[in-house]
Amino acid sequence: MKTRRIIVAILAVLVCGISAYAQTAEEIVQKMEDQLSRADKEGFTMDLNMKMPIVGLIKSHSSVAGDKMKVEISGADKSSTLWQDATTKWEYNPETKEVTITKNEMVKKDENSDLSTFSDVTEGYDLSLSKETADAWYIACKRSKTNKDKDAPKKMDLCVSKATNLPIYLKMKKSILEISMENITIGVSEKSVTFNPADYPDATIVDKR
């Protein structure tokens, strides 16, 4: 009987320890947002995949550092690479081997707005931890009743890395679009997002500024 009581006591301690260590979905997302906030100073990379009827799958890989950005796009039997800063855009077409330079007339967006969707998770969705593995947390995001944005997805699936507290993916469906934001990393050099003509010695430069 004494041995049995000791075993029960040990199990009770272990259960209490596990409960104390468990994290809520909101706490996990807060840690994720803390890591994403580093992107303002350090830059970030992200893969964005969009699937739509007829067109099929469009893939892009974005690297952002301050007001500079490089985007590599592929899909629908085409590919291109785009660079931009606060005033200028460069676009390379591998089929024609041309680099077209134009003025960047886009209104400046909020800094790192490409990551704003991850902030919306806490502002307009009810969160629940649906699964947990040794490597990641899986969080179900259901649009809350107070979310008046009719264009917001009804639900999203978020996966967060335990190693980095960064998102592994955020998946959603908007109308006919299936969208997946994946492989977010923090830390981008300015050189890696700056167009360098020497990297394309055979390209024709078309300056339309």
Side-chain angles (χ1 to χ4, degrees):
M1 290 294 294
K2 186 175 180 180
T3 302
R4 184 178 178 182
R5 286 197 297 271
I6 292 172
I7 293 173
V8 171
I10 291 173
L11 290 174
V13 170
L14 288 173
V15 170
C16 290
I18 292 171
S19 298
Y21 182 73
Q23 299 181 74
T24 66
E26 288 78 10
E27 289 171 336
I28 295 166
V29 169
Q30 182 58 59
K31 288 185 176 182
M32 177 193 76
E33 290 184 340
D34 290 343
Q35 288 300 310
L36 291 176
S37 67
R38 295 166 45 206
D40 289 342
K41 292 184 177 180
E42 301 177 42
F44 70 94
T45 68
M46 180 179 70
D47 293 333
L48 175 62
N49 300 326
M50 294 191 298
K51 187 177 182 181
M52 61 192 83
I54 302 176
V55 176
L57 181 64
I58 305 295
K59 295 183 177 182
S60 69
H61 176 74
S62 300
S63 302
V64 179
D67 62 3
K68 291 188 174 184
M69 177 171 65
K70 178 182 178 181
V71 184
E72 299 166 273
I73 305 171
S74 63
D77 299 324
K78 294 183 179 180
S79 63
S80 64
T81 304
L82 173 72
W83 299 258
Q84 71 175 42
D85 59 21
T87 62
T88 310
K89 288 183 179 180
W90 300 259
E91 184 171 5
Y92 175 66
N93 184 330
E95 291 185 8
T96 61
K97 292 187 177 181
E98 289 183 346
V99 175
T100 303
I101 307 175
T102 57
K103 290 182 179 179
N104 186 2
E105 298 177 347
M106 289 182 61
V107 177
K108 184 174 175 57
K109 300 182 294 182
D110 292 338
E111 201 163 5
N112 296 333
S113 60
D114 289 333
L115 298 178
S116 63
T117 305
F118 293 97
S119 299
D120 293 342
V121 165
T122 53
E123 295 175 2
Y125 289 82
D126 299 321
L127 310 179
S128 61
L129 186 62
S130 59
K131 188 173 75 170
E132 180 178 351
T133 66
D135 301 316
W137 294 287
Y138 297 80
I139 298 172
C141 312
K142 183 180 180 181
R143 189 171 70 190
S144 60
K145 293 181 180 179
T146 57
N147 188 344
K148 302 303 181 182
D149 184 359
K150 295 181 180 180
D151 294 327
K154 292 183 178 180
K155 64 178 182 177
M156 300 189 291
D157 296 314
L158 173 65
C159 180
V160 180
S161 167
K162 287 186 174 181
T164 64
N165 287 319
L166 287 170
I168 296 174
Y169 64 71
L170 178 64
K171 298 180 179 180
M172 68 196 79
K173 187 172 183 179
K174 295 185 69 174
S175 185
I176 60 172
L177 287 177
E178 293 181 23
I179 302 171
S180 179
M181 305 166 74
E182 306 176 356
N183 304 319
I184 291 83
T185 65
I186 301 297
V188 173
S189 68
E190 184 176 349
K191 181 180 179 181
S192 67
V193 294
T194 301
F195 174 69
N196 182 6
D199 294 334
Y200 298 86
D202 299 327
T204 301
I205 305 295
V206 181
D207 196 334
K208 294 184 178 182
R209 286 174 292 181

